[in-house]
Amino acid sequence: MTVDDTGSGTGAHPAPGGEPGRTAGPVTDAAPARAAADGEARQDARPDAGTGSRPNHRPDDRSHAGTGLHGDDRSDEGSETRGDGHGGDTRPDVRPDARHEATGRVDPQAEPDSGEDPLALRLEGLILGAERRYTPFQAARSAGVSMELASRFWRAMGFADIGQAKALTEADVLALRRLAGLVEAGLLSEAMAVQVARSTGQTTARLAEWQIDSFLEGLTEPPEPGMTRTEVTYPLIELLLPELEEFLVYVWRRQLAAATGRVVQAADDEEMVDRRLAVGFADLVGFTRLTRRMEEEELGELVEAFETTAADLVAAHGGRLIKTLGDEVLYSADDAGVAAEIALRLIETMANDETMPELRVGIAFGTVTTRMGDVFGTTVNLASRLTSIAPRDAVLVDGAFAEELTRTGDAPASEAAAAEAAAAAEKEGEEPPSYRFALQPMWQRPVRGLGVIEPWLLARRADEA
């Protein structure tokens, strides 16, 4: 959505004469009357009048788009969209072409000269459940927000600038109104509302891309010879849409409950934002060489298998998958023992799969800043550096992570310390301590941007392997 100079930052309504930047006066009965007469005149002048073949969201219908945006003298057109914050038209819709099915379907011949694919328009109407009705300026005005804030929200959600084309719906107006309402009520700051829009947009954009590229592409193979994929897509989406929507809400609520539970258990307010976590990177070895040797389809299958395996293992053992980067995954865990178990399970699982390349993992423990579902800070950078220097099919950890494993009793400080503890327990007639992991110090080495570090090689204890 392009920020229009006539409305940027002001939220002012255009004057009845179409002059932007002034406060619109009260709507009188004369405007709807003129609008109705104008609509009847246009109806008589069109060869297709009364046929219902052209919907009322034609981008070439200048008599209904961009009210007050161009400073023209067509004052009778400035009242199409109400400025009372509730959306809708202030004049009766007398156009015979204002037709739209309840299902959101659009006639394939609806946009003969718009350059847009008729099926794409039908699918858009089905998915959005509403017709194109507003320009960005009209949507902002109907939502009661400034054009500047509306543009910030829409760009944050990841939508492209559309100038002043009539491409927005009632749902778009409602979304703007809700976000602005949260700010007006003091529940969110304006900056936080933009962050909410951005995080939601980024997450759902990736989900939508995945569903179209991987999910729907496979399901829309024509079932019979002679049928095209486009003939299958519409009814399929019509059936899947409500089910996928319900499932999305369910998963989101589950994830929100889990995240809320983790936050409220934090020791203090500062820990809610800057927390001590274990952060791990898992990286496929030689992936760049694989991209040159493998076909694109094979490479895509390998990446998907790696990401699926990693996601399942991280979730099953109580970690959180932060993001996947093709040949690399980033995960975190509140407990160092959980992070260590995930890392070793990843190595073991990939090693048993002949189709997978070797893997290396780096883990660091320390303070991490969380923003919009991602993690940042020195701890994250250190985990990434450890991954780059880790041996094949091995796990390297930093000193803080090794200390945390020792503190929790998951690993001995050294094998000598483990032997001493076992001997002392035997002397007292007690059960010797049991350790899950073993730590072996490696040579100190400089790491770019982080100085000299002493990595530790993580492995399972011989009795645990």
Side-chain angles (χ1 to χ4, degrees):
M1 197 187 314
T2 301
V3 179
D4 191 275
D5 293 336
T6 62
S8 176
T10 64
H13 300 174
E19 184 174 346
R22 298 182 183 176
T23 304
V27 178
T28 65
D29 294 337
R34 287 196 303 271
D38 181 50
E40 292 172 357
R42 284 194 299 274
Q43 175 183 342
D44 296 336
R46 282 204 313 264
D48 62 340
T51 65
S53 62
R54 295 170 67 94
N56 62 354
H57 59 268
R58 292 177 305 166
D60 60 330
D61 190 350
R62 299 300 180 188
S63 62
H64 302 296
T67 56
L69 291 179
H70 304 292
D72 55 29
D73 58 358
R74 291 175 293 180
S75 59
D76 58 320
E77 295 169 12
S79 58
E80 178 185 3
T81 305
R82 283 195 316 218
D84 58 2
H86 299 289
D89 293 344
T90 59
R91 61 185 180 187
D93 193 349
V94 297
R95 290 167 289 168
D97 58 354
R99 181 180 62 84
H100 195 282
E101 297 182 18
T103 60
R105 299 191 184 189
V106 179
D107 190 333
Q109 303 301 319
E111 300 281 348
D113 52 359
S114 68
E116 296 191 61
D117 184 85
L119 177 63
L121 291 172
R122 290 185 65 211
L123 289 172
E124 178 189 284
L126 171 66
I127 294 171
L128 296 180
E131 63 178 308
R132 295 181 177 186
R133 184 172 185 177
Y134 301 100
T135 67
F137 181 74
Q138 291 169 338
R141 186 174 68 175
S142 294
V145 302
S146 69
M147 187 65 197
E148 179 182 14
L149 183 58
S151 295
R152 289 184 66 195
F153 282 152
W154 276 92
R155 286 169 179 164
M157 284 186 275
F159 299 125
D161 292 344
I162 59 171
Q164 287 302 325
K166 184 174 287 189
L168 305 184
T169 72
E170 285 289 350
D172 300 318
V173 172
L174 180 60
L176 290 175
R177 191 178 298 151
R178 280 175 171 163
L179 278 175
L182 291 173
V183 175
E184 291 175 3
L187 296 174
L188 295 177
S189 66
E190 187 173 304
M192 182 60 69
V194 172
Q195 282 190 356
V196 168
R198 179 169 291 110
S199 60
T200 306
Q202 290 177 356
T203 303
T204 53
R206 184 178 181 189
L207 175 63
E209 290 288 345
W210 182 90
Q211 288 174 333
I212 293 300
D213 292 344
S214 301
F215 183 50
L216 291 178
E217 182 178 358
L219 289 179
T220 53
E221 290 291 340
E224 298 178 9
M227 291 188 68
T228 64
R229 176 169 288 167
T230 56
E231 291 174 319
V232 182
T233 301
Y234 190 97
L236 179 65
I237 291 182
E238 195 170 27
L239 291 172
L240 284 176
L241 189 63
E243 302 299 327
L244 292 177
E245 182 178 17
E246 290 291 334
F247 186 70
L248 174 63
V249 173
Y250 155 74
V251 175
W252 170 72
R253 284 183 176 273
R254 267 291 178 186
Q255 293 286 5
L256 188 64
T260 303
R262 289 193 297 267
V263 169
V264 298
Q265 293 176 23
D268 50 46
D269 290 344
E270 289 186 1
E271 192 178 338
M272 291 184 182
V273 179
D274 297 320
R275 307 165 59 191
R276 287 179 61 79
L277 298 174
V279 178
F281 276 96
D283 178 59
L284 293 175
V285 179
F287 185 76
T288 303
R289 291 194 300 274
L290 284 175
T291 59
R292 293 194 290 264
R293 289 204 318 263
M294 300 178 70
E295 297 290 336
E296 289 184 3
E297 185 173 350
E298 292 178 311
L299 192 62
E301 291 175 354
L302 183 145
V303 169
E304 184 175 356
F306 169 58
E307 291 183 349
T308 300
T309 301
D312 288 347
L313 286 172
V314 169
H317 291 87
R320 293 185 298 283
L321 187 69
I322 304 299
K323 59 186 173 184
T324 60
L325 304 170
D327 62 331
E328 188 174 59
V329 297
L330 170 62
Y331 71 93
S332 69
D334 297 318
D335 182 81
V338 169
E341 182 65 29
I342 292 171
L344 293 173
R345 291 273 184 174
L346 283 170
I347 295 290
E348 294 159 0
T349 302
M350 297 297 173
N352 291 327
D353 189 341
E354 295 181 355
T355 66
M356 283 290 174
E358 296 164 305
L359 190 70
R360 54 191 177 191
V361 182
I363 314 176
F365 186 85
T367 301
V368 174
T369 298
T370 59
R371 288 287 186 278
M372 293 173 58
D374 208 342
V375 290
F376 307 92
T378 303
T379 302
V380 180
N381 295 337
L382 179 54
S384 178
R385 300 288 189 274
L386 287 168
T387 306
S388 65
I389 64 175
R392 295 165 182 257
D393 285 339
V395 182
L396 278 189
V397 304
D398 73 327
F401 188 88
E403 289 178 6
E404 185 67 11
L405 284 181
T406 302
R407 185 187 69 80
T408 57
D410 286 311
S414 65
E415 289 304 314
E420 289 178 6
E426 185 178 357
K427 184 177 180 180
E428 297 292 332
E430 298 176 353
E431 190 72 22
S434 176
Y435 302 105
R436 298 165 58 195
F437 309 111
L439 292 165
Q440 177 185 343
M442 308 292 286
W443 292 104
Q444 291 186 351
R445 58 185 301 171
V447 174
R448 179 170 54 87
L450 297 173
V452 177
I453 64 170
E454 181 182 3
W456 295 69
L457 185 66
L458 175 72
R460 292 196 186 278
R461 293 275 295 174
D463 54 347
E464 294 284 338

